[in-house]
């Protein structure tokens, strides 16, 4: 969630009479975790989930693992107060969502496949503004995902993996 959007998120849930029980994160960039502290403060019982790999960024640890490509981390990785309540990994189930590892945009990026209808919540593995593309491909109308992608070859491999799931819908 973008910084400063917690009130809008909470209001949308109230408007639709929905209870927020989880804050599920695709990755640790600021445009995805910027309101987590405010949301967690308003919803202290809600679970906060992210891959163990990207959870390290939330604590300020920007080291790369020995088996990861030694490319420059791109994008903003803020340190936040909220600690994840659960680490998620490839194959985990979160409600109806299946966790699919999709590194490339960040080392621990994850997507979520809804097992009810095969819809894919792809985070920043893809972008659609200015035309659908893998996040590492520069699109002039919306260049931010490409500029914030850590390792383009890994992002492309993840995009192929996600495409092979033949999602019914794509949410980015």
């Amino acid at each position: 969630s973008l910084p400063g959007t917690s009130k809008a998120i909470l209001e949308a849930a109230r408007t639709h009479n929905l209870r927020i029980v989880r804050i599920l994160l695709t990755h640790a960039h600021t445009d995805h975790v910027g309101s987590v502290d405010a949301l967690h403060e308003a919803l202290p019982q809600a679970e906060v989930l992210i891959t163990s790999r990207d959870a390290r960024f939330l604590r300020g640890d920007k080291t790369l693992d020995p088996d990861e490509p030694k490319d420059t981390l791109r994008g903003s990785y803020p340190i936040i107060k909220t600690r994840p309540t659960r680490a998620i990994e490839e194959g985990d189930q979160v409600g109806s969502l299946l966790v699919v590892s999709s590194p490339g945009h960040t080392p621990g990026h994850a997507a979520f496949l809804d097992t009810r209808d095969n819809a894919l919540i792809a985070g920043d593995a893809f972008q659609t503004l200015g035309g659908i593309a893998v996040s590492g491909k520069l699109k002039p109308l919306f260049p931010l995902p490409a500029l914030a992608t850590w390792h383009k070859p890994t992002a492309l491999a993840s995009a192929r993996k996600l495409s092979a799931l033949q999602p019914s819908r794509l949410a980015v």
Side-chain angles (χ1 to χ4, degrees):
S1 58
L2 287 167
T5 60
S6 62
K7 288 179 183 172
I9 292 168
L10 294 168
E11 182 57 34
R14 273 192 292 276
T15 298
H16 295 288
N17 201 30
L18 297 171
R19 194 169 63 99
I20 298 173
V21 297
R22 287 183 199 96
I23 302 167
L24 183 59
L25 305 167
T26 58
H27 64 291
H29 279 154
T30 195
D31 60 325
H32 290 258
V33 303
S35 286
V36 169
D37 284 339
L39 285 170
H40 187 257
E41 186 175 312
L43 305 162
Q45 305 308 318
E47 277 190 291
V48 178
L49 300 93
I50 191 169
T51 63
S52 58
R53 177 64 191 94
D54 266 28
R56 291 173 21 203
F57 294 128
L58 301 178
R59 298 187 306 267
D61 177 356
K62 291 186 182 180
T63 59
L64 292 171
D65 290 343
D67 62 338
E68 292 174 336
K70 302 303 177 246
D71 210 345
T72 302
L73 290 171
R74 292 174 178 82
S76 176
Y77 293 88
I79 298 171
I80 65 172
K81 293 184 292 186
T82 302
R83 293 292 155 247
T85 55
R86 180 166 37 135
I88 53 173
E89 308 301 336
E90 170 94 18
D92 286 351
Q93 197 84 24
V94 181
S96 65
L97 302 177
L98 177 67
V99 178
V100 183
S101 176
S102 53
H105 187 64
T106 66
H109 190 285
F112 308 108
L113 185 69
D114 194 323
T115 58
R116 298 171 298 182
D117 63 0
N118 222 45
L120 182 67
I121 301 168
D124 282 352
F126 295 103
Q127 67 184 67
T128 56
L129 191 58
I132 193 163
V134 176
S135 67
K137 181 166 175 58
L138 189 65
K139 300 296 272 182
L141 289 178
F142 191 55
L144 297 179
L147 297 174
T149 294
W150 158 65
H151 191 252
K152 291 178 185 183
T154 302
L156 183 57
S158 289
R160 287 186 176 122
K161 174 183 175 181
L162 296 174
S163 293
L165 297 172
Q166 298 182 327
S168 61
R169 283 187 296 284
L170 182 64
V172 299

